Protein backbone atom coordinates (compact mmCIF):
# COMPACT_ATOMS: atom_id res chain seq x y z
CA UNK A 1 0.00 0.00 0.00
CA UNK A 2 1.19 3.51 -0.72
CA UNK A 3 1.96 5.86 2.12
CA UNK A 4 0.22 8.85 0.46
CA UNK A 5 -3.28 7.40 0.94
CA UNK A 6 -5.16 9.16 3.70
CA UNK A 7 -7.66 6.37 4.28
CA UNK A 8 -6.41 2.82 4.83
CA UNK A 9 -9.94 1.40 4.47
CA UNK A 10 -10.20 2.65 0.89
CA UNK A 11 -6.66 1.45 0.16
CA UNK A 12 -7.48 -1.99 1.59
CA UNK A 13 -10.67 -2.14 -0.45
CA UNK A 14 -8.66 -1.56 -3.62
CA UNK A 15 -6.03 -4.19 -2.81
CA UNK A 16 -8.05 -7.41 -3.31
CA UNK A 17 -9.32 -6.60 -6.79
CA UNK A 18 -6.71 -8.21 -9.09
CA UNK A 19 -9.27 -10.61 -10.54
CA UNK A 20 -11.26 -7.63 -11.84
CA UNK A 21 -8.45 -5.85 -13.64
CA UNK A 22 -5.32 -8.01 -13.55
CA UNK A 23 -3.74 -6.27 -10.58
CA UNK A 24 -4.95 -2.80 -11.50
CA UNK A 25 -8.16 -1.09 -10.47
CA UNK A 26 -9.11 0.89 -13.53
CA UNK A 27 -11.43 3.78 -12.77
CA UNK A 28 -12.97 3.38 -16.20
CA UNK A 29 -14.11 -0.14 -15.21
CA UNK A 30 -17.75 0.01 -14.12
CA UNK A 31 -17.35 -2.91 -11.70
CA UNK A 32 -14.51 -1.16 -9.86
CA UNK A 33 -16.46 2.11 -9.64
CA UNK A 34 -19.62 0.34 -8.44
CA UNK A 35 -17.63 -1.54 -5.80
CA UNK A 36 -16.22 1.73 -4.45
CA UNK A 37 -19.63 3.41 -4.47
CA UNK A 38 -21.27 0.43 -2.82
CA UNK A 39 -18.58 0.37 -0.13
CA UNK A 40 -19.26 4.05 0.57
CA UNK A 41 -23.00 3.40 0.73
CA UNK A 42 -22.63 0.42 3.06
CA UNK A 43 -20.20 2.36 5.25
CA UNK A 44 -22.59 5.33 5.41
CA UNK A 45 -25.59 3.15 6.26
CA UNK A 46 -23.61 1.43 9.02
CA UNK A 47 -22.52 4.81 10.41
CA UNK A 48 -26.13 6.06 10.42
CA UNK A 49 -27.35 2.86 12.05
CA UNK A 50 -24.63 3.20 14.69
CA UNK A 51 -25.83 6.72 15.46
CA UNK A 52 -29.47 5.63 15.58
CA UNK A 53 -28.63 2.85 18.06
CA UNK A 54 -26.38 5.16 20.09
CA UNK A 55 -23.25 3.09 19.35
CA UNK A 56 -21.64 6.34 18.17
CA UNK A 57 -22.55 10.00 18.26
CA UNK A 58 -24.11 11.75 15.31
CA UNK A 59 -20.98 13.88 14.96
CA UNK A 60 -18.76 10.77 14.90
CA UNK A 61 -20.94 9.21 12.19
CA UNK A 62 -20.85 12.36 10.06
CA UNK A 63 -17.07 12.73 10.48
CA UNK A 64 -16.47 9.08 9.56
CA UNK A 65 -18.59 9.44 6.41
CA UNK A 66 -16.79 12.65 5.49
CA UNK A 67 -13.40 10.91 5.88
CA UNK A 68 -14.54 8.21 3.46
CA UNK A 69 -15.79 10.83 1.02
CA UNK A 70 -12.48 12.73 1.22
CA UNK A 71 -10.54 9.52 0.54
CA UNK A 72 -12.75 8.67 -2.44
CA UNK A 73 -12.42 12.23 -3.72
CA UNK A 74 -8.64 11.65 -3.86
CA UNK A 75 -9.08 8.25 -5.55
CA UNK A 76 -11.46 9.50 -8.24
CA UNK A 77 -9.50 12.69 -8.88
CA UNK A 78 -6.26 10.75 -9.21
CA UNK A 79 -4.44 12.19 -6.20
CA UNK A 80 -4.63 9.24 -3.79
CA UNK A 81 -1.19 7.86 -4.58
CA UNK A 82 -2.47 4.27 -4.66
CA UNK A 83 -0.32 2.52 -7.24
CA UNK A 84 -2.92 -0.17 -7.99
CA UNK A 85 -5.39 2.44 -9.25
CA UNK A 86 -5.36 3.30 -12.94
CA UNK A 87 -6.64 6.80 -13.60
CA UNK A 88 -7.31 8.57 -16.86
CA UNK A 89 -7.49 12.17 -18.05
CA UNK A 90 -11.12 12.03 -16.93
CA UNK A 91 -10.02 11.60 -13.30
CA UNK A 92 -9.17 15.22 -12.69
CA UNK A 93 -10.89 18.25 -11.21
CA UNK A 94 -11.01 19.85 -14.66
CA UNK A 95 -12.88 16.87 -16.13
CA UNK A 96 -14.75 14.86 -13.47
CA UNK A 97 -15.02 17.75 -11.03
CA UNK A 98 -16.42 20.10 -13.66
CA UNK A 99 -18.82 17.40 -14.93
CA UNK A 100 -20.19 16.81 -11.42
CA UNK A 101 -20.42 20.52 -10.76
CA UNK A 102 -22.45 21.06 -13.94
CA UNK A 103 -24.50 17.85 -13.98
CA UNK A 104 -25.45 17.70 -10.32
CA UNK A 105 -25.44 21.46 -9.79
CA UNK A 106 -22.82 21.48 -7.05
CA UNK A 107 -21.57 24.79 -5.73
CA UNK A 108 -18.15 23.53 -4.69
CA UNK A 109 -14.70 23.85 -6.26
CA UNK A 110 -14.02 21.19 -8.89
CA UNK A 111 -11.35 19.57 -6.70
CA UNK A 112 -13.99 18.90 -4.01
CA UNK A 113 -16.95 17.84 -6.17
CA UNK A 114 -16.58 14.08 -5.74
CA UNK A 115 -16.62 14.53 -1.96
CA UNK A 116 -19.58 16.91 -2.18
CA UNK A 117 -21.56 14.53 -4.40
CA UNK A 118 -20.86 11.64 -2.01
CA UNK A 119 -21.97 13.68 1.00
CA UNK A 120 -25.22 14.49 -0.79
CA UNK A 121 -25.54 10.79 -1.57
CA UNK A 122 -25.07 9.99 2.13
CA UNK A 123 -27.80 12.49 3.01
CA UNK A 124 -30.19 10.70 0.68
CA UNK A 125 -29.20 7.39 2.24
CA UNK A 126 -30.04 8.77 5.66
CA UNK A 127 -33.51 9.70 4.39
CA UNK A 128 -33.92 6.23 2.85
CA UNK A 129 -33.68 4.69 6.33
CA UNK A 130 -37.27 5.88 6.88
CA UNK A 131 -38.53 3.70 4.01
CA UNK A 132 -39.80 0.14 4.40
CA UNK A 133 -37.06 -2.44 3.76
CA UNK A 134 -38.13 -3.33 0.21
CA UNK A 135 -38.43 0.32 -0.85
CA UNK A 136 -35.15 1.15 0.89
CA UNK A 137 -33.34 -1.63 -0.97
CA UNK A 138 -34.66 -0.33 -4.30
CA UNK A 139 -33.67 3.23 -3.40
CA UNK A 140 -30.16 2.18 -2.34
CA UNK A 141 -29.68 0.25 -5.57
CA UNK A 142 -30.86 3.22 -7.66
CA UNK A 143 -28.56 5.58 -5.76
CA UNK A 144 -25.63 3.18 -6.26
CA UNK A 145 -26.18 3.03 -10.01
CA UNK A 146 -26.68 6.79 -10.34
CA UNK A 147 -23.55 7.62 -8.35
CA UNK A 148 -21.47 5.12 -10.33
CA UNK A 149 -22.80 6.55 -13.59
CA UNK A 150 -21.86 10.05 -12.50
CA UNK A 151 -18.34 8.98 -11.54
CA UNK A 152 -17.98 7.33 -14.95
CA UNK A 153 -19.09 10.52 -16.70
CA UNK A 154 -22.59 9.43 -17.58
CA UNK A 155 -25.71 11.25 -16.58
CA UNK A 156 -27.95 8.71 -14.83
CA UNK A 157 -30.31 7.04 -17.26
CA UNK A 158 -33.43 7.16 -15.08
CA UNK A 159 -35.52 9.29 -17.45
CA UNK A 160 -32.59 11.69 -17.69
CA UNK A 161 -33.27 12.63 -14.08
CA UNK A 162 -30.52 12.62 -11.49
CA UNK A 163 -31.68 10.98 -8.29
CA UNK A 164 -28.93 12.51 -6.20
CA UNK A 165 -31.00 15.49 -5.11
CA UNK A 166 -28.81 18.19 -3.63
CA UNK A 167 -31.75 20.30 -2.47
CA UNK A 168 -32.71 18.30 0.58
Amino acid sequence: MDSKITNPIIAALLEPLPSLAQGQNDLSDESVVRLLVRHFIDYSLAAFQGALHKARTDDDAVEAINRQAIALNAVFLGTSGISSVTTHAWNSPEQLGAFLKDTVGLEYPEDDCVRAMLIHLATQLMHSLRLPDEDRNEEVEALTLDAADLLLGRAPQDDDEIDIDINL
Side-chain angles (χ1 to χ4, degrees), residues 130-144:
R130 298 181 187 141
L131 299 171
D133 286 346
E134 185 175 305
D135 294 339
R136 180 179 336 129
N137 292 339
E138 282 183 29
E139 179 71 9
V140 168
E141 183 61 25
L143 289 170
T144 301

Side-chain angles (χ1 to χ4, degrees), residues 3-87:
S3 60
K4 286 179 71 177
I5 183 68
T6 59
N7 191 310
I9 295 170
I10 299 296
L13 181 66
L14 289 166
E15 286 300 316
L17 297 179
S19 63
L20 290 178
Q22 298 180 355
Q24 288 295 310
N25 299 294
D26 192 324
L27 293 182
S28 68
D29 183 334
E30 191 167 343
S31 62
V32 172
V33 173
R34 280 192 185 173
L35 177 68
L36 290 168
V37 169
R38 189 57 202 216
H39 165 75
F40 177 78
I41 285 173
D42 291 345
Y43 187 89
S44 297
L45 289 171
F48 290 137
Q49 290 290 349
L52 284 173
H53 299 315
K54 306 297 182 203
R56 67 188 326 167
T57 67
D58 292 346
D59 289 342
D60 288 343
V62 168
E63 181 57 34
I65 291 167
N66 192 50
R67 280 192 307 270
Q68 290 291 301
I70 289 168
L72 286 171
N73 190 72
V75 168
F76 280 102
L77 295 180
T79 61
S80 69
I82 300 175
S83 62
S84 66
V85 174
T86 301
T87 60

